[in-house]
Amino acid sequence: MDYIDYGMKTLNVEKSTTLPKPPEFQTIYISGGKKNKLNKIDIVGFFSQKGKLEKGDLGLIEVKDFISFAAVKSKK
């Protein structure tokens, strides 16, 4: 028994459709948070010193209880 109706109407998509730009930022997972005495300033300092990133290279930083996330420019 076939599960696909091969007589279905075909939907043609225009070839002129363009893909969206790739994201400007990537999310970095950090295995430490508030309960590990980690804060946003620590994360900014780490990326600035060790990663040689500038202020504009970092985006949103979220610090949860045991994990953190930092947005970093994809090019970096």
Side-chain angles (χ1 to χ4, degrees):
M1 174 175 223
D2 286 338
Y3 291 99
I4 299 175
D5 179 12
Y6 291 101
M8 261 183 357
K9 182 180 171 184
T10 304
L11 176 64
N12 293 321
V13 179
E14 293 182 27
K15 294 186 189 293
S16 64
T17 304
T18 58
L19 294 174
K21 292 183 201 176
E24 185 179 357
F25 288 88
Q26 295 288 322
T27 303
I28 305 288
Y29 166 81
I30 302 164
S31 61
K34 293 176 187 174
K35 302 283 183 174
N36 305 103
K37 297 188 178 10
L38 185 67
N39 59 39
K40 289 182 182 184
I41 296 170
D42 296 329
I43 294 171
V44 170
F46 175 79
F47 280 114
S48 297
Q49 291 176 359
K50 298 289 182 182
K52 307 278 191 254
L53 298 180
E54 298 173 6
K55 184 179 178 183
D57 296 331
L58 286 173
L60 180 67
I61 297 173
E62 276 195 44
V63 181
K64 303 291 185 185
D65 284 343
F66 293 101
I67 60 174
S68 300
F69 300 97
V72 178
K73 281 206 174 177
S74 299
K75 295 178 182 178
K76 298 292 180 168

